[in-house]
């Protein structure tokens, strides 16, 4: 998912685009992910180089009302 792409899709609502980008960055870059994220589904995958890995395909995120507002 590209934040730039979401900006294009949400271009008619600059506030929506900024809010989405903020949420996306918080979900992927926060050092406190373990406090608000629960991994609920993983799968085994093999990379192009043949390395086996686990990949997260589903998670639940929990946010406080202040953050949501």
């Amino acid at each position: 998912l590209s934040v730039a792409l979401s900006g294009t899709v949400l271009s008619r609502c600059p506030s929506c685009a900024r809010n989405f980008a903020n949420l996306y960055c918080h979900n992927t870059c926060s050092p406190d992910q373990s406090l608000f994220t629960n991994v609920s589904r993983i799968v085994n995958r093999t990379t192009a180089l043949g390395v086996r890995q686990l990949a997260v395909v589903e998670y639940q995120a929990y946010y406080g009302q202040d953050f949501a507002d």
Side-chain angles (χ1 to χ4, degrees):
L1 178 63
S2 168
V3 175
L5 178 59
S6 68
T8 302
V9 172
L10 298 171
S11 64
R12 297 206 286 176
C13 179
S15 294
C16 294
R18 280 190 304 275
N19 287 341
F20 180 82
N22 182 44
L23 185 62
Y24 178 78
C25 291
H26 185 73
N27 278 342
T28 56
C29 300
S30 173
D32 299 320
Q33 285 178 333
S34 65
L35 301 177
F36 61 86
T37 303
N38 177 48
V39 174
S40 53
R41 186 170 164 228
I42 58 173
V43 296
N44 288 309
R45 67 178 291 263
T46 304
T47 68
L49 298 175
V51 178
R52 294 185 50 87
Q53 297 178 330
L54 293 176
V56 174
V57 293
E58 185 177 294
Y59 68 92
Q60 299 166 317
Y62 303 95
Y63 299 110
Q65 189 64 48
D66 289 341
F67 181 82
D69 288 342

